[in-house]
Amino acid sequence: MLALRLTRIAHLAVHLRRLLVAVASAGTGFLLLCALGHALSHPDAPGASALRLAWCAAPLAAAVYLAVAVARTDPGTRPRSGLSAIGLGPGRLMAVSATTTALSAALGSVAALLAFLYLRGSLTGRPPSGRVAADALAVGQSLPAPAVLTLLVLTPALASAAVAHTLRPRDPRPAASPAPRGYGRFGAYGWGKARETFGAYGRYGARTAAAAGSRAAAAVPADSRAAAAAAVPAGSRAAGAARVGAGGALQTQGSDHHPPAPTDVTTQALDAAPAPETEPTPRPQNTTALPWGIAILTAGLTVETYTGNAAGAPTPGTAPSAGVLIGWALTALGLALAGPGLTHLCGRLLQAARPGALRLLAGRVLMEESQRVGRPLGVVAAVAAAAYVTTTVYDGDGPGFGPLSTLGALLVAGCTVATLLTAAVEARHARVDTKDALLRLGAPPATLRAAAAVRAAALLALFGPLVLIVAVLAALPLDH
């Protein structure tokens, strides 16, 4: 019910993005149903039907990727301060996002079923004309209801599961890295910490109070800690010092290099201070996936080369083999993994060789947005390379592209481009505060627009040659 209310009061742009998810789900469901129709029309060729069903994995993955990008930019399900008090914490908002995505995708699946039934003549009573349509739509044969339901539920289920996994609640506080192991007090070996004074270990509750104070101080902002320290009276601090002296600790001003552990009153004040409820911070920029992306990209090109040398160019009227599908899947995965690292590298190169304010601003923004924009850029690069190979290798003597192949290509290209644009919108919303701060400091709006143009030109200069290199290497074993 809450998901329906949030859907009803959403902005027009949000509705348009959800409509794109519904259209992508409808196209994917229609292709899946056509694969089922081909299997029913050709029971003696299960291999060709299985290959058609396998090629539907590309538009299915593109539709799920678009659904995740749309869910990330939905302002109605973004965590805000105070929502947990009314039962709308991060977990509940994640469930609302997954439900909204499932509803949008289910609407597209219903539209795909209606279109499939209309084209095969089940609703109008007029059978379609053409052998290709009759083979793909299984005209004159009954459709198995369990198979139809399974294929139609596939896209909404995968999309909602991917959204739930992506938007799952995370701990906003970074995990504390363990201290190096070392020798502590005499005769003990363990996690090395601050140097202890004589008799400090024997005091009752000294270690538990210090550990509780450290955890509370890490979880409370600086202003809360200052207020809590100011709230502790001087008499309590003096009493605490007196208790430390009575415990037998030999501390002097010259030998004690570490501040004393917080007293009981300070610890209680810090524990009672409420932690701010904010949106979880994104993970830091990570470029360690770049070597893995390059390795997987190389593996994909190797698989395509081996498959092309073994089978040669596809004959007219046949679809590319399963080896080509696996190779392109690995290539797309490699480019998606290498995209954030390449975007981060592009930002670093922009700041090289005595940069000015414009290049410095453009480079820093690229480094900050490498995780959001890098992966969609890598996927778009893979789709562009596949389009280049399609137009150069499968031009006249290759397999004939019918309406279903054209629909699949348009679905993959449209979903990837829409995902990239949605990620750009998300990145723009994420840097609104930075843009406002720059404008308040006196930065002219023309400088910000010029920085955006510099970022676009730098990405085009990096990913353009990369697309050509990958496309040429993928087309070499097939063009003979």
Side-chain angles (χ1 to χ4, degrees), residues 61-62 65 331-337 339 373-385 412 415-417 419 463:
Y65 197 33
T331 302
L333 179 59
L335 287 175
L337 290 178
V373 184
R375 289 185 180 179
L377 269 176
V379 177
V380 170
V383 173
V412 173
C415 288
T416 52
V417 173
T419 303
F463 281 90

Side-chain angles (χ1 to χ4, degrees), residues 182-190 195-198 201 207:
Y183 289 93
R185 64 189 184 280
F186 177 74
Y189 178 76
R195 189 169 48 186
E196 301 170 344
T197 56
F198 179 78
Y201 185 80
R207 289 188 172 269

Side-chain angles (χ1 to χ4, degrees), residues 186-442:
F186 177 74
Y189 178 76
W191 299 103
K193 293 183 180 180
R195 189 169 48 186
E196 301 170 344
T197 56
F198 179 78
Y201 185 80
R203 292 195 305 274
Y204 177 76
R207 289 188 172 269
T208 57
S214 301
R215 289 193 300 267
V220 179
D223 52 354
S224 299
R225 291 197 296 268
V232 179
S236 299
R237 291 195 295 268
R243 285 195 300 268
V244 170
L250 300 179
Q251 298 179 354
T252 60
Q253 185 176 1
S255 62
D256 189 11
H257 300 285
H258 302 282
T263 60
D264 296 339
V265 181
T266 308
T267 304
Q268 294 175 2
L270 291 175
D271 290 336
E277 182 182 1
T278 57
E279 184 178 358
T281 56
R283 290 179 293 179
Q285 309 298 331
N286 189 8
T287 58
T288 57
L290 181 59
W292 290 100
I294 295 176
I296 295 177
L297 173 62
T298 306
L301 293 176
T302 303
V303 170
E304 293 178 18
T305 303
Y306 177 78
T307 305
N309 291 332
T315 58
T318 60
S321 61
V324 176
L325 174 61
I326 296 174
W328 273 116
L330 292 176
T331 302
L333 179 59
L335 287 175
L337 290 178
L342 293 176
T343 308
H344 194 275
L345 178 62
C346 186
R348 283 189 175 274
L349 293 178
L350 277 179
Q351 302 175 70
R354 301 173 64 88
L358 184 61
R359 286 199 294 132
L360 187 64
L361 179 61
R364 289 296 177 89
V365 172
L366 274 183
M367 292 173 61
E368 187 69 22
E369 297 176 354
S370 60
Q371 284 294 113
R372 291 189 179 96
V373 184
R375 289 185 180 179
L377 269 176
V379 177
V380 170
V383 173
Y388 178 83
V389 174
T390 301
T391 55
T392 55
V393 177
Y394 306 140
D395 47 2
D397 299 332
F401 284 91
L404 296 180
S405 302
T406 305
L407 176 61
L410 290 178
L411 272 177
V412 173
C415 288
T416 52
V417 173
T419 303
L420 178 59
L421 295 179
T422 306
V425 171
E426 180 188 4
R428 182 180 180 182
H429 289 168
R431 64 173 185 269
V432 167
D433 296 337
T434 304
K435 180 180 179 181
D436 294 341
L438 290 175
L439 292 177
R440 285 195 303 267
L441 290 175

